[in-house]
Amino acid sequence: QKEVEQNSGPLSVPEGAIASLNCTYSDRGSQSFFWYRQYSGKSPELIMFIYSNGDKEDGRFTAQLNKASQYVSLLIRDSQPSDSATYLCAVNYYNTDKLIFGTGTRLQVFP
Amino acid sequence: GAVVSQHPSWVICKSGTSVKIECRSLDFQATTMFWYRQFPKQSLMLMATSNEGSKATYEQGVEKDKFLINHASLTLSTLTVTSAHPEDSSFYICSARDSVGYEKLFFGSGTQLSVL
């Protein structure tokens, strides 16, 4: 069974710090990787996606992918209290039309 | 980005009744829509993939006779929870995409269903 694993947290960081969120996946046949942010009672919103090994930066966010080790991470620089939310890692497996979500990591940024 | 409209946002119903949830893509045509269910503090679980003009594909363990999905047009998919029971209480979220690739996947605002 294809799985996506995340530490549920909460991960607490002070304002201005770097938050590091990690995700591992079980199937090497994974094709694309996504990070979503979800506020309580709301639907997810896409933060980043990454397809190739290495880093991808977008503003304060950096996604890192290591297919050999089967992990993908999200770094949030200069964390703000408004970044406090649950971050969901999602994986699209090769040759399927499905997006499999991890359980999410709750991030708390305190002033 | 594209907009996916989901209604209603909240619904409270009595046990044994049926509830219909609508998911509309407002400014694009969605040949494929997805329905997810999310229990408190848990992740999104894919229930079914809805394809316009054909039967939905249900995930293992999801009762197709209980969760009826209709994708009659390129902009509308509906999920009907039939004979709802308290254990069906959950947050239901639809999503749709306007092209190949999940970077173009957009989510509705979700429906919180409470069955009394």
Side-chain angles (χ1 to χ4, degrees):
Chain A
Q1 184 174 347
K2 298 176 174 56
E3 294 183 345
V4 179
E5 302 282 347
Q6 294 180 257
N7 188 316
S8 61
L11 171 66
S12 293
V13 301
E15 183 175 359
I18 296 175
S20 178
L21 305 162
N22 299 310
C23 171
T24 59
Y25 56 95
S26 62
D27 196 316
R28 288 188 178 273
S30 303
Q31 190 171 23
S32 46
F33 308 84
F34 302 82
W35 283 100
Y36 288 86
R37 177 174 63 196
Q38 185 178 27
Y39 294 108
S40 181
K42 304 295 184 182
S43 60
E45 56 179 319
L46 182 64
I47 299 296
M48 293 279 292
F49 61 89
I50 186 168
Y51 299 147
S52 304
N53 277 325
D55 295 359
K56 180 181 179 182
E57 186 174 318
D58 183 2
R60 295 187 297 114
F61 299 96
T62 299
Q64 299 175 318
L65 175 60
N66 184 322
K67 289 189 175 183
S69 300
Q70 295 177 234
Y71 84 79
V72 56
S73 62
L74 178 70
L75 300 178
I76 306 175
R77 289 180 298 281
D78 189 24
S79 296
Q80 302 297 310
S82 58
D83 294 327
S84 298
T86 296
Y87 289 80
L88 301 170
C89 171
V91 176
N92 175 221
Y93 289 92
Y94 180 72
N95 255 359
T96 73
D97 195 20
K98 301 179 185 179
L99 199 58
I100 307 298
F101 284 84
T103 53
T105 298
R106 189 158 62 93
L107 173 66
Q108 295 178 335
V109 182
F110 54 92
Chain B
V3 177
V4 175
S5 175
Q6 185 174 342
H7 292 282
S9 299
W10 287 85
V11 59
I12 301 173
C13 69
K14 294 182 178 180
S15 184
T17 60
S18 295
V19 175
K20 180 184 283 189
I21 303 170
E22 290 189 350
C23 181
R24 294 180 184 272
S25 56
L26 295 186
D27 52 3
F28 65 98
Q29 293 184 332
T31 56
T32 304
M33 292 185 175
F34 304 89
W35 287 96
Y36 291 87
R37 179 168 54 182
Q38 186 176 35
F39 293 107
K41 298 187 178 182
Q42 295 187 23
S43 189
L44 279 72
M45 297 300 297
L46 180 64
M47 299 176 67
T49 300
S50 169
N51 299 294
E52 187 267 338
S54 64
K55 292 182 179 180
T57 302
Y58 290 82
E59 293 301 299
Q60 189 175 6
V62 177
E63 299 175 58
K64 62 180 180 181
D65 294 331
K66 180 171 184 60
F67 299 100
L68 301 178
I69 292 173
N70 185 287
H71 193 161
S73 76
L74 286 171
T75 59
L76 174 64
S77 176
T78 60
L79 168 68
T80 301
V81 183
T82 62
S83 187
H85 288 93
E87 57 266 30
D88 298 323
S89 299
S90 184
F91 191 51
Y92 292 86
I93 308 174
C94 73
S95 63
R97 63 183 188 197
D98 64 357
S99 63
V100 176
Y102 281 94
E103 67 275 14
K104 297 295 185 184
L105 183 71
F106 301 98
F107 284 87
S109 55
T111 298
Q112 182 63 53
L113 170 64
S114 297
V115 184
L116 303 178

